[in-house]
Structure formats: structure tokens, C-alpha cells
Coordinates of all heavy atoms in Angstrom, one line a residue:
M1 N 189.6 142.9 46.7 CA 188.4 143.6 46.5 C 187.2 142.6 46.8 O 187.1 141.5 46.2 CB 188.3 144.0 45.0 CG 187.3 145.0 44.7 SD 188.0 145.9 43.3 CE 186.6 146.8 42.9
L2 N 186.3 143.1 47.6 CA 185.2 142.2 48.0 C 183.9 142.7 47.2 O 183.7 143.8 47.0 CB 184.9 142.4 49.5 CG 185.9 141.9 50.4 CD1 185.6 142.2 51.8 CD2 186.1 140.4 50.3
L3 N 183.2 141.7 46.8 CA 181.9 141.9 46.2 C 180.8 142.3 47.2 O 180.9 141.7 48.3 CB 181.5 140.7 45.3 CG 182.3 140.4 44.1 CD1 181.8 139.1 43.5 CD2 182.3 141.5 43.1
P4 N 179.9 143.2 46.9 CA 178.9 143.5 47.9 C 178.0 142.2 48.1 O 177.6 141.5 47.2 CB 178.1 144.6 47.3 CG 178.4 144.6 45.9 CD 179.7 144.0 45.7
S5 N 177.7 142.0 49.3 CA 176.9 140.9 49.7 C 175.4 141.1 49.3 O 174.9 142.2 49.5 CB 176.9 140.6 51.2 OG 176.0 139.6 51.6
P6 N 174.7 140.2 48.7 CA 173.3 140.4 48.3 C 172.4 140.5 49.6 O 171.3 140.9 49.5 CB 173.0 139.1 47.5 CG 174.0 138.1 47.8 CD 175.2 138.8 48.3
L7 N 172.9 140.1 50.7 CA 172.1 140.1 51.9 C 172.4 141.4 52.7 O 172.2 141.4 53.9 CB 172.3 138.9 52.8 CG 172.0 137.6 52.1 CD1 172.4 136.4 53.0 CD2 170.5 137.5 51.8
C8 N 172.9 142.4 52.1 CA 173.2 143.6 52.8 C 171.9 144.3 53.2 O 170.9 144.2 52.6 CB 174.1 144.6 51.9 SG 173.3 145.1 50.4
P9 N 172.0 145.0 54.3 CA 170.7 145.6 54.8 C 170.2 146.7 53.9 O 171.0 147.4 53.2 CB 171.2 146.3 56.2 CG 172.6 146.4 56.0 CD 173.1 145.3 55.1
L10 N 168.9 146.8 53.8 CA 168.3 147.8 53.0 C 168.4 149.2 53.6 O 168.2 149.4 54.8 CB 166.8 147.5 52.8 CG 166.5 146.3 52.0 CD1 165.0 146.0 52.0 CD2 166.9 146.4 50.6
T11 N 168.8 150.1 52.8 CA 169.0 151.5 53.3 C 167.7 152.2 53.0 O 166.8 151.8 52.2 CB 170.2 152.2 52.6 OG1 169.9 152.2 51.2 CG2 171.5 151.4 52.9
A12 N 167.6 153.4 53.5 CA 166.4 154.2 53.3 C 166.3 154.6 51.8 O 165.2 154.7 51.2 CB 166.4 155.5 54.2
A13 N 167.4 154.8 51.2 CA 167.4 155.2 49.8 C 166.9 154.1 48.9 O 166.2 154.3 47.9 CB 168.8 155.7 49.3
R14 N 167.3 152.9 49.2 CA 166.9 151.7 48.4 C 165.4 151.5 48.6 O 164.7 151.2 47.7 CB 167.6 150.4 48.9 CG 169.0 150.4 48.3 CD 169.6 149.0 48.5 NE 170.9 148.9 47.9 CZ 171.7 147.9 48.0 NH1 171.3 146.8 48.7 NH2 172.8 147.9 47.4
I15 N 164.9 151.6 49.8 CA 163.5 151.4 50.1 C 162.7 152.5 49.4 O 161.6 152.2 48.7 CB 163.2 151.5 51.6 CG1 163.8 150.2 52.3 CG2 161.7 151.5 51.9 CD1 163.7 150.2 53.8
A16 N 163.1 153.7 49.4 CA 162.4 154.8 48.7 C 162.4 154.6 47.2 O 161.4 154.8 46.5 CB 163.1 156.2 49.0
G17 N 163.6 154.1 46.7 CA 163.6 153.7 45.2 C 162.7 152.6 44.9 O 162.0 152.7 43.8
L18 N 162.6 151.6 45.7 CA 161.7 150.5 45.4 C 160.2 151.0 45.5 O 159.4 150.6 44.7 CB 161.9 149.4 46.4 CG 163.2 148.6 46.3 CD1 163.4 147.6 47.4 CD2 163.2 147.8 44.9
Q19 N 159.9 151.8 46.5 CA 158.6 152.3 46.6 C 158.2 153.2 45.3 O 157.1 153.1 44.8 CB 158.4 153.2 47.8 CG 158.3 152.4 49.1 CD 158.2 153.2 50.3 OE1 158.5 154.4 50.3 NE2 157.8 152.6 51.4
A20 N 159.1 154.0 44.9 CA 158.9 154.8 43.7 C 158.7 153.9 42.5 O 157.8 154.2 41.6 CB 160.1 155.8 43.5
T21 N 159.4 152.9 42.4 CA 159.3 151.9 41.2 C 157.9 151.2 41.3 O 157.3 151.1 40.2 CB 160.4 150.9 41.3 OG1 161.7 151.5 41.2 CG2 160.3 149.9 40.1
V22 N 157.5 150.8 42.4 CA 156.2 150.2 42.6 C 155.1 151.1 42.2 O 154.1 150.8 41.5 CB 156.0 149.6 44.0 CG1 154.6 149.2 44.2 CG2 157.0 148.4 44.2
V23 N 155.2 152.4 42.7 CA 154.1 153.4 42.4 C 154.1 153.7 40.9 O 153.0 153.7 40.3 CB 154.4 154.7 43.2 CG1 153.5 155.8 42.7 CG2 154.1 154.4 44.7
L24 N 155.3 153.8 40.3 CA 155.3 154.0 38.8 C 154.7 152.9 38.0 O 153.9 153.1 37.1 CB 156.8 154.2 38.4 CG 157.0 154.4 36.9 CD1 156.4 155.7 36.4 CD2 158.5 154.4 36.5
L25 N 155.1 151.6 38.4 CA 154.5 150.5 37.7 C 153.0 150.4 37.9 O 152.3 150.1 36.9 CB 155.2 149.2 38.2 CG 156.6 149.0 37.7 CD1 157.2 147.8 38.4 CD2 156.8 149.0 36.2
L26 N 152.5 150.6 39.1 CA 151.0 150.6 39.3 C 150.3 151.7 38.5 O 149.3 151.5 37.9 CB 150.7 150.8 40.8 CG 151.0 149.5 41.6 CD1 150.8 149.8 43.1 CD2 150.1 148.4 41.2
T27 N 151.0 152.9 38.4 CA 150.4 154.0 37.7 C 150.3 153.6 36.2 O 149.3 153.9 35.5 CB 151.2 155.3 37.9 OG1 151.3 155.5 39.2 CG2 150.6 156.4 37.1
L28 N 151.4 153.0 35.7 CA 151.4 152.6 34.3 C 150.4 151.5 34.0 O 149.7 151.5 32.9 CB 152.8 152.2 33.9 CG 153.9 153.3 33.8 CD1 155.2 152.7 33.5 CD2 153.5 154.3 32.7
L29 N 150.2 150.6 34.9 CA 149.2 149.6 34.8 C 147.8 150.1 34.7 O 147.0 149.8 33.9 CB 149.3 148.5 35.9 CG 148.3 147.4 35.9 CD1 148.5 146.5 34.7 CD2 148.5 146.6 37.2
I30 N 147.5 151.0 35.6 CA 146.2 151.6 35.7 C 145.9 152.4 34.4 O 144.8 152.4 33.8 CB 146.0 152.5 36.9 CG1 146.0 151.6 38.2 CG2 144.8 153.4 36.8 CD1 146.1 152.4 39.5
K31 N 146.9 153.2 33.9 CA 146.8 154.0 32.7 C 146.5 153.0 31.5 O 145.7 153.3 30.7 CB 148.1 154.8 32.5 CG 148.1 155.6 31.2 CD 149.4 156.2 31.0 CE 149.5 156.8 29.6 NZ 150.8 157.2 29.2
A32 N 147.2 151.9 31.4 CA 147.0 151.0 30.3 C 145.6 150.4 30.4 O 145.0 150.3 29.3 CB 148.0 149.9 30.4
R33 N 145.1 150.1 31.6 CA 143.7 149.5 31.7 C 142.7 150.6 31.2 O 141.7 150.2 30.6 CB 143.5 149.1 33.1 CG 144.3 147.8 33.4 CD 143.9 147.2 34.7 NE 142.6 146.6 34.5 CZ 142.0 145.8 35.4 NH1 142.6 145.6 36.5 NH2 140.8 145.4 35.1
V34 N 142.9 151.8 31.6 CA 142.0 152.9 31.2 C 142.0 153.1 29.7 O 141.0 153.2 29.1 CB 142.3 154.2 32.0 CG1 141.6 155.4 31.4 CG2 142.0 154.1 33.4
Q35 N 143.2 153.0 29.1 CA 143.3 153.2 27.7 C 142.6 152.0 26.9 O 142.0 152.2 25.9 CB 144.8 153.3 27.2 CG 145.4 154.6 27.5 CD 146.9 154.6 27.2 OE1 147.5 153.6 27.0 NE2 147.4 155.8 27.0
I36 N 142.8 150.8 27.5 CA 142.1 149.7 26.9 C 140.6 149.8 26.9 O 139.9 149.6 25.9 CB 142.6 148.4 27.5 CG1 144.0 148.1 27.2 CG2 141.7 147.2 27.2 CD1 144.6 146.9 28.0
K37 N 140.1 150.3 28.0 CA 138.6 150.5 28.2 C 138.1 151.5 27.2 O 137.1 151.4 26.6 CB 138.2 150.8 29.6 CG 138.6 149.8 30.6 CD 137.5 148.8 30.8 CE 137.9 147.9 32.0 NZ 137.2 146.7 31.9
A38 N 138.9 152.6 27.1 CA 138.5 153.7 26.2 C 138.5 153.3 24.8 O 137.6 153.6 24.0 CB 139.4 154.9 26.4
A39 N 139.6 152.5 24.4 CA 139.7 152.0 23.0 C 138.5 151.1 22.7 O 138.0 151.0 21.6 CB 141.0 151.4 22.8
S40 N 138.2 150.2 23.7 CA 137.1 149.3 23.5 C 135.8 150.0 23.3 O 135.0 149.7 22.4 CB 136.9 148.4 24.7 OG 137.7 147.2 24.5
A41 N 135.5 151.0 24.1 CA 134.3 151.8 23.9 C 134.2 152.5 22.6 O 133.2 152.6 21.9 CB 134.2 152.8 25.1
L42 N 135.4 153.1 22.2 CA 135.4 153.8 20.9 C 135.2 152.8 19.8 O 134.5 153.1 18.8 CB 136.8 154.5 20.7 CG 137.0 155.2 19.4 CD1 136.0 156.4 19.3 CD2 138.4 155.7 19.3
G43 N 135.8 151.6 19.9 CA 135.6 150.6 18.8 C 134.1 150.1 18.7 O 133.6 150.0 17.6
L44 N 133.5 150.0 19.9 CA 132.1 149.6 19.8 C 131.2 150.7 19.2 O 130.3 150.4 18.4 CB 131.6 149.2 21.2 CG 132.1 147.9 21.8 CD1 131.6 147.7 23.2 CD2 131.6 146.8 21.0
F45 N 131.5 151.9 19.6 CA 130.8 153.1 19.0 C 131.0 153.1 17.5 O 130.0 153.3 16.7 CB 131.2 154.4 19.6 CG 130.7 155.6 19.0 CD1 129.3 155.9 19.1 CD2 131.5 156.4 18.2 CE1 128.8 157.0 18.5 CE2 130.9 157.5 17.5 CZ 129.6 157.8 17.7
L46 N 132.2 153.0 17.0 CA 132.4 153.0 15.6 C 131.8 151.8 14.8 O 131.3 152.0 13.7 CB 133.9 153.1 15.3 CG 134.6 154.3 15.7 CD1 136.1 154.2 15.5 CD2 134.1 155.5 14.9
L47 N 131.8 150.7 15.5 CA 131.1 149.5 14.9 C 129.6 149.8 14.8 O 129.0 149.4 13.7 CB 131.4 148.3 15.7 CG 130.7 147.0 15.2 CD1 131.2 146.6 13.9 CD2 130.9 145.9 16.2
A48 N 129.0 150.3 15.8 CA 127.5 150.6 15.8 C 127.2 151.7 14.7 O 126.3 151.5 13.9 CB 127.1 151.1 17.1
L49 N 128.1 152.7 14.6 CA 127.9 153.7 13.6 C 128.0 153.1 12.2 O 127.2 153.4 11.3 CB 128.9 154.8 13.8 CG 128.9 156.0 12.8 CD1 127.5 156.8 13.1 CD2 130.0 156.9 13.0
Q50 N 129.0 152.3 12.0 CA 129.2 151.6 10.7 C 128.0 150.8 10.3 O 127.5 150.8 9.2 CB 130.5 150.8 10.7 CG 130.8 150.0 9.4 CD 132.0 149.2 9.5 OE1 132.6 149.1 10.5 NE2 132.3 148.5 8.4
T51 N 127.5 150.0 11.3 CA 126.3 149.2 11.0 C 125.1 150.1 10.7 O 124.3 149.7 9.7 CB 126.0 148.4 12.3 OG1 127.2 147.6 12.6 CG2 124.8 147.4 12.1
L52 N 124.9 151.2 11.4 CA 123.7 152.0 11.1 C 123.9 152.7 9.7 O 122.9 152.7 9.0 CB 123.6 153.1 12.2 CG 123.1 152.6 13.5 CD1 123.2 153.8 14.5 CD2 121.7 152.0 13.5
V53 N 125.1 153.1 9.3 CA 125.3 153.7 8.0 C 125.0 152.6 6.9 O 124.4 152.9 5.9 CB 126.7 154.3 7.9 CG1 127.0 154.6 6.5 CG2 126.8 155.5 8.8
F54 N 125.5 151.4 7.1 CA 125.2 150.3 6.2 C 123.7 150.0 6.0 O 123.2 149.9 4.9 CB 126.0 149.1 6.6 CG 125.6 147.9 5.8 CD1 126.2 147.7 4.5 CD2 124.8 146.9 6.2 CE1 125.8 146.7 3.7 CE2 124.4 145.8 5.5 CZ 125.0 145.7 4.2
L55 N 123.0 150.0 7.2 CA 121.6 149.7 7.1 C 120.8 150.8 6.4 O 119.9 150.6 5.7 CB 121.1 149.4 8.5 CG 121.5 148.1 9.2 CD1 121.0 148.0 10.6 CD2 121.0 146.9 8.4
A56 N 121.3 152.0 6.7 CA 120.6 153.2 6.0 C 120.8 153.2 4.5 O 119.9 153.4 3.7 CB 121.1 154.5 6.7
A57 N 122.1 152.9 4.1 CA 122.4 152.8 2.7 C 121.6 151.7 2.0 O 121.1 151.8 0.9 CB 123.9 152.6 2.5
A58 N 121.6 150.5 2.7 CA 120.9 149.4 2.1 C 119.4 149.7 2.0 O 118.7 149.3 1.0 CB 121.1 148.1 2.9
G59 N 118.8 150.3 3.1 CA 117.4 150.7 3.0 C 117.1 151.7 1.9 O 116.1 151.6 1.2
G60 N 118.0 152.7 1.7 CA 117.8 153.6 0.6 C 117.9 153.0 -0.7 O 117.0 153.3 -1.6
L61 N 118.8 152.1 -0.9 CA 118.9 151.4 -2.2 C 117.6 150.5 -2.4 O 117.1 150.4 -3.5 CB 120.1 150.5 -2.3 CG 121.4 151.3 -2.5 CD1 122.6 150.3 -2.4 CD2 121.4 152.0 -3.8
G62 N 117.2 149.9 -1.3 CA 115.9 149.1 -1.4 C 114.7 149.9 -1.8 O 113.9 149.5 -2.6
L63 N 114.6 151.1 -1.2 CA 113.5 152.0 -1.6 C 113.6 152.4 -3.0 O 112.6 152.5 -3.7 CB 113.5 153.2 -0.7 CG 113.0 153.0 0.8 CD1 113.1 154.2 1.6 CD2 111.6 152.5 0.8
V64 N 114.8 152.7 -3.5 CA 115.0 153.1 -4.9 C 114.6 152.0 -5.8 O 113.9 152.2 -6.8 CB 116.4 153.6 -5.2 CG1 116.7 153.7 -6.6 CG2 116.7 154.9 -4.4
A65 N 115.0 150.8 -5.5 CA 114.7 149.6 -6.3 C 113.2 149.4 -6.3 O 112.6 149.1 -7.4 CB 115.4 148.4 -5.7
L66 N 112.5 149.5 -5.1 CA 111.1 149.3 -5.1 C 110.3 150.4 -5.9 O 109.3 150.2 -6.6 CB 110.6 149.3 -3.6 CG 110.8 148.0 -2.9 CD1 110.4 148.2 -1.4 CD2 110.1 146.8 -3.5
G67 N 110.8 151.6 -5.8 CA 110.2 152.7 -6.5 C 110.4 152.5 -8.0 O 109.5 152.7 -8.8
G68 N 111.6 152.1 -8.5 CA 111.8 151.8 -9.9 C 110.9 150.6 -10.4 O 110.3 150.7 -11.5
L69 N 110.7 149.6 -9.5 CA 109.9 148.5 -9.9 C 108.4 149.0 -10.0 O 107.7 148.6 -10.9 CB 110.0 147.4 -8.9 CG 109.2 146.1 -9.1 CD1 109.6 145.4 -10.4 CD2 109.3 145.2 -7.9
G70 N 108.0 149.8 -9.0 CA 106.6 150.3 -9.0 C 106.4 151.1 -10.2 O 105.3 151.1 -10.9
L71 N 107.3 152.0 -10.6 CA 107.2 152.8 -11.8 C 107.1 152.0 -13.0 O 106.3 152.3 -13.9 CB 108.4 153.8 -11.8 CG 108.4 154.8 -13.0 CD1 107.2 155.8 -12.8 CD2 109.7 155.6 -13.0
A72 N 108.0 151.0 -13.1 CA 108.0 150.1 -14.3 C 106.6 149.4 -14.4 O 106.2 149.1 -15.5 CB 109.1 149.1 -14.2
L73 N 106.1 149.0 -13.3 CA 104.8 148.2 -13.4 C 103.6 149.1 -13.7 O 102.6 148.6 -14.2 CB 104.6 147.4 -12.1 CG 105.6 146.2 -11.9 CD1 105.3 145.6 -10.5 CD2 105.4 145.2 -13.0
T74 N 103.6 150.3 -13.3 CA 102.5 151.2 -13.5 C 102.5 151.9 -14.8 O 101.5 152.5 -15.2 CB 102.4 152.2 -12.4 OG1 103.6 153.0 -12.3 CG2 102.1 151.6 -11.0
R75 N 103.6 151.9 -15.5 CA 103.6 152.6 -16.8 C 102.8 151.8 -17.8 O 102.9 150.6 -17.9 CB 105.1 152.7 -17.3 CG 105.8 153.8 -16.8 CD 107.1 153.9 -17.5 NE 107.4 155.3 -17.9 CZ 108.5 155.6 -18.4 NH1 109.4 154.7 -18.8 NH2 108.7 156.9 -18.7
P76 N 102.1 152.5 -18.6 CA 101.3 151.8 -19.7 C 102.3 151.2 -20.7 O 103.3 151.8 -21.1 CB 100.4 152.8 -20.3 CG 101.0 154.2 -19.9 CD 101.8 153.9 -18.7
R77 N 102.0 150.0 -21.2 CA 102.9 149.4 -22.1 C 102.6 149.9 -23.6 O 101.4 150.1 -23.9 CB 102.7 147.9 -22.1 CG 103.1 147.3 -20.8 CD 103.0 145.8 -20.8 NE 103.2 145.3 -19.5 CZ 104.1 144.4 -19.2 NH1 104.8 143.8 -20.2 NH2 104.3 143.9 -18.0
R78 N 103.6 150.1 -24.3 CA 103.4 150.6 -25.7 C 103.4 149.3 -26.6 O 104.2 148.4 -26.5 CB 104.6 151.4 -26.1 CG 104.6 152.7 -25.4 CD 105.7 153.6 -26.0 NE 105.8 154.9 -25.2 CZ 106.7 155.8 -25.4 NH1 107.6 155.6 -26.3 NH2 106.7 156.9 -24.7
T79 N 102.4 149.3 -27.4 CA 102.3 148.2 -28.3 C 102.6 148.7 -29.7 O 102.1 149.8 -30.1 CB 100.9 147.6 -28.3 OG1 99.9 148.6 -28.5 CG2 100.7 146.9 -26.9
T80 N 103.3 148.0 -30.5 CA 103.6 148.4 -31.8 C 102.6 147.7 -32.7 O 102.4 146.5 -32.7 CB 105.0 148.0 -32.2 OG1 105.2 146.7 -32.0 CG2 106.0 148.8 -31.4
D81 N 102.0 148.5 -33.6 CA 101.0 148.0 -34.5 C 101.6 147.7 -35.9 O 102.4 148.3 -36.5 CB 99.8 148.9 -34.7 CG 99.0 149.0 -33.4 OD1 99.0 148.0 -32.7 OD2 98.5 150.1 -33.1

């Protein structure tokens, strides 16, 4: 029983199989790169949204604190006699 020689000539079926494999790998690579770009864009958008929500909440709390301080300072003081 003879083992097939690794230097055997390439047949049309082998070449077609190799071409199909290369096309599949290139397609998967392009798909992965597109998914990475989309995930990066989504991540940046969510980070910007989180930052804006935090700044809005901090600004609202700051306004409430300033309003409370202004109210406390403008109230007349009660003196006990």
C-alpha cells in the first residue's frame, strides 16, 4: 500500500476547494472587522450618553443645593425672647 505523495498534482476539485476556503476566510475577516467597528461606535455612543446623563444629574443636584442654600439665607431668622 502506497501513501499518496504530497507533491501530487493539484486537481480542479482541490483548487476549487482552496478558493472556496480563501473566500470564506476573507468573508469572515471582513465581517469581524465590521462588527468591531460597529461595537466601537456603539460603545462610544453609550459612553457619551452616560456622561451627558451624569452631567445633567450633577447639574440638577447642584441647582437644588444652590436653591436650598438661597432659601436658607433669605429666610428671616427667628429669635427667641
Side-chain angles (χ1 to χ4, degrees):
M1 195 152 169
L2 294 172
L3 294 174
S5 172
L7 300 176
C8 62
L10 291 174
T11 62
R14 282 191 178 175
I15 292 174
L18 289 173
Q19 285 178 343
T21 303
V22 169
V23 168
L24 176 66
L25 290 175
L26 284 174
T27 304
L28 290 174
L29 178 66
I30 291 169
K31 178 185 170 194
R33 292 190 68 172
V34 168
Q35 284 178 340
I36 289 170
K37 298 275 187 200
S40 269
L42 179 64
L44 286 174
F45 171 73
L46 291 176
L47 179 64
L49 182 65
Q50 179 183 359
T51 304
L52 289 175
V53 167
F54 172 76
L55 289 175
L61 287 175
L63 286 176
V64 168
L66 284 176
L69 180 64
L71 184 65
L73 290 176
T74 57
R75 275 187 138 177
R77 296 181 187 234
R78 292 186 184 176
T79 57
T80 56
D81 292 328

